[in-house]
Amino acid sequence: MTLGTKVLSLISIVLLITLASGVLTMDFALAKFVVFISSCYLAVVAWRTKEKMWLVFFVAVALIFLPVIKLFSFSYAVWRTADAIVAAGFAFFIYRYYDGYRKGSAFEKFVASRLLPEEWAIEDWTKDKSRGLKRHVESDMNPDLTVRNVSTGKRFAVECKFRSRFWKDNEGITGIFWKAYNHDFYRNYGDKENIKVKIVFGVGGNPKNPSRLFVVPIESLEEYKGKNIPAQYLQKFEKDIKIPLTLDNPQTKV
């Protein structure tokens, strides 16, 4: 999400709240136009981040607030309600987007800090270059870290995922949901680059100091793509949070 998109969205939220509160009762053609443009930009963000429900939401908002052509004709009371709902949706999406980015960045730093420099060399640390540009950067999708064992020369790609807690799915399985497209992308990346890919999950606590830590080879998640990874299954990959992190042996929690 570029700075321009964020600013435009925040302006839209202010306009929508003003309209919903009844403070602004004039013709809101300009407000409709601003909200339309913002929803289009946010729809692109939702599409890039594979947020399908949000994509549908923003496309629907764009159609409702379509300038010039009136696809929908609502009463003043209905418009005020729609303004409030859309303002809440915009605000929640922006907060969730930046909060997720902040937590992800903090957890990456935690994982890197647990890889002792005398044992692990960090060859690459993927940064979200798209945030400073007005175009998509393919390398932003790469695993967060590429590291090399100083002694053995073995290389690993590390993707860091923090979750505030385990959650229970509709089947009653408590664990971490593992998106199918994430699995396929990282599995294909490992095959293409000829490198072992490890997924590091942090659960509970906060991103700077998670309560539990799991290091899972990507191939061990094959049967769980698109499903919840059971917490019980993850236990065999758990690492002791108090000791330096290892990637190239099956050491489990002490």
Side-chain angles (χ1 to χ4, degrees):
M1 187 184 298
T2 64
L3 178 60
T5 303
K6 183 180 179 181
V7 171
L8 188 61
S9 300
L10 291 175
I11 292 173
S12 298
I13 292 170
V14 172
L15 284 173
L16 287 165
I17 292 175
T18 305
L19 290 167
S21 66
V23 174
L24 187 62
T25 57
M26 64 179 187
D27 178 21
F28 53 91
L30 177 60
K32 284 183 65 177
F33 177 76
V34 174
V35 174
F36 170 76
I37 296 298
S38 297
S39 59
C40 289
Y41 273 104
L42 291 176
V44 173
V45 174
W47 174 72
R48 287 179 175 175
T49 55
K50 305 294 190 301
E51 297 280 358
K52 295 181 180 178
M53 294 301 295
W54 281 108
L55 175 59
V56 172
F57 174 77
F58 291 125
V59 169
V61 171
L63 292 174
I64 292 172
F65 285 82
L66 190 68
V68 183
I69 302 174
K70 292 184 178 180
L71 295 181
F72 301 92
S73 181
F74 300 134
S75 67
Y76 179 66
V78 173
W79 271 117
R80 287 180 64 178
T81 302
D83 292 337
I85 293 173
V86 173
F90 276 27
F92 183 75
F93 180 79
I94 292 173
Y95 167 78
R96 184 169 171 268
Y97 181 89
Y98 280 96
D99 186 58
Y101 181 83
R102 177 184 60 81
K103 288 180 178 178
S105 180
F107 185 58
E108 286 177 30
K109 292 177 181 177
F110 169 80
V111 172
S113 73
R114 305 306 295 161
L115 295 167
L116 298 181
E118 58 268 27
E119 296 181 13
W120 297 96
I122 298 179
E123 294 185 352
D124 186 47
W125 192 331
T126 301
K127 299 298 181 184
D128 194 351
K129 302 178 183 66
S130 298
R131 291 170 64 86
L133 301 173
K134 295 182 179 180
R135 61 185 299 176
H136 176 63
V137 179
E138 291 183 351
S139 64
D140 285 349
M141 292 294 294
N142 292 347
D144 298 315
L145 299 167
T146 302
V147 301
R148 183 184 71 256
N149 187 292
V150 175
S151 301
T152 66
K154 292 180 66 174
R155 301 171 67 248
F156 296 90
V158 181
E159 176 63 20
C160 307
K161 300 288 186 185
F162 176 78
R163 299 291 182 267
S164 298
R165 57 183 175 82
F166 290 119
W167 74 289
K168 185 179 293 186
D169 63 16
N170 295 331
E171 298 179 358
I173 299 174
T174 299
I176 297 174
F177 184 73
W178 184 233
K179 295 180 180 179
Y181 75 84
N182 275 347
H183 180 89
D184 291 339
F185 179 86
Y186 296 126
R187 190 68 191 265
N188 292 336
Y189 177 88
D191 293 340
K192 179 182 177 181
E193 301 296 328
N194 192 28
I195 189 173
K196 293 289 185 181
V197 177
K198 302 285 182 122
I199 311 299
V200 180
F201 293 107
V203 181
N206 63 74
K208 296 180 181 179
N209 185 29
S211 300
R212 303 180 70 179
L213 196 67
F214 309 89
V215 179
V216 191
I218 188 67
E219 57 270 17
S220 297
L221 298 175
E222 186 72 36
E223 65 177 296
Y224 295 110
K225 64 179 183 177
K227 303 177 182 178
N228 242 14
I229 309 169
Q232 186 175 5
Y233 176 75
L234 288 171
Q235 286 181 359
K236 63 181 180 179
F237 302 104
E238 188 166 7
K239 301 290 186 178
D240 192 330
I241 204 76
K242 298 177 182 178
I243 64 176
L245 192 59
T246 58
L247 300 172
D248 51 358
N249 66 52
Q251 176 189 358
T252 55
K253 184 175 180 180
V254 177

